[in-house]
Amino acid sequence: LNLVINMKSLSNLGGMTTPDIPYNVKISTKIDMIDQKRGLIEVKPGYHLVIRVVPKVVDTREDFEVFDVNTRGCKLPNEGSFFQNYTKYGCELECAYNHSLAICKCIPWYFPNDFIKMPMCDMFGAKCFDTFLSDEIYYKNCSDQCLEACQSTSYSAIPSYWPIKTEEI
């Protein structure tokens, strides 16, 4: 996969100066796609980025799955609560989400909401929510219940950066 991004600053805004907003990419499974705050790789202007992806597949047999969670030390896909398929990342995201709900008292527009239990966040509530979801400490508060998944596919993404030599292009 090749991706070319024009990262030229917004120069047509007259005298306005805007901070450069970083571009990020993430390698994930479709199950972990909802977690957009962790595992990001920055796309740096003037650099060629190569991402080496190493997959890790964990699977179990039926005779292992009959044990209870404490004996197994991991959770099966159907043992999640927030997402259809359990993943450790999903569980940690749910933990941060629940902590955010308790403090911010609202749900951002991009999360499912029936508007009965919690209202949709205004801009201040959304900032509150984003603050919690951007801090890794809130993902680790539920380590006793967020076990590894018994069945999963995950990817380790290893970025490498090389300066682009524009004079050679």
Side-chain angles (χ1 to χ4, degrees):
L1 169 68
N2 285 316
L3 174 67
V4 178
I5 301 174
N6 180 358
M7 298 184 71
K8 185 176 179 182
S9 296
L10 302 171
S11 58
N12 296 335
L13 296 176
M16 294 178 60
T17 58
T18 58
D20 288 336
I21 299 170
Y23 287 84
N24 296 303
V25 295
K26 180 176 179 173
I27 307 297
S28 70
T29 65
K30 64 181 177 180
I31 295 170
D32 287 329
M33 183 173 64
I34 189 89
D35 187 356
Q36 294 296 311
K37 294 291 183 179
R38 298 183 295 166
L40 299 176
I41 299 170
E42 185 177 354
V43 178
K44 299 177 182 180
Y47 286 86
H48 180 86
L49 169 63
V50 174
I51 303 171
R52 192 177 91 181
V53 179
V54 181
K56 176 184 170 186
V57 178
V58 177
D59 204 0
T60 59
R61 294 191 340 225
E62 285 183 30
D63 54 345
F64 179 77
E65 296 170 12
V66 297
F67 294 115
D68 68 348
V69 174
N70 295 328
T71 305
R72 286 192 316 255
C74 61
K75 289 190 176 182
L76 296 169
N78 63 341
E79 293 178 326
S81 59
F82 194 66
F83 300 104
Q84 281 184 321
N85 293 315
Y86 176 83
T87 65
K88 184 175 181 181
Y89 268 8
C91 182
E92 290 173 345
L93 176 63
E94 181 181 359
C95 181
Y97 173 88
N98 288 334
H99 190 78
S100 301
L101 282 180
I103 303 298
C104 304
K105 307 285 188 221
C106 63
I107 299 175
W109 64 268
Y110 52 88
F111 277 97
N113 191 352
D114 60 8
F115 303 108
I116 295 171
K117 296 176 189 162
M118 286 281 175
M120 183 170 42
C121 294
D122 61 11
M123 66 181 189
F124 302 108
K127 176 64 177 159
C128 173
F129 215 92
D130 188 60
T131 300
F132 283 100
L133 291 185
S134 296
D135 192 341
E136 187 78 20
I137 195 162
Y138 298 107
Y139 290 87
K140 302 302 177 189
N141 284 341
C142 299
S143 59
D144 55 329
Q145 71 189 56
C146 292
L147 304 173
E148 293 294 330
C150 298
Q151 300 170 356
S152 65
T153 301
S154 61
Y155 300 99
S156 295
I158 304 151
S160 299
Y161 297 92
W162 289 292
I164 296 174
K165 298 175 183 165
T166 54
E167 61 278 354
E168 293 177 9
I169 298 176

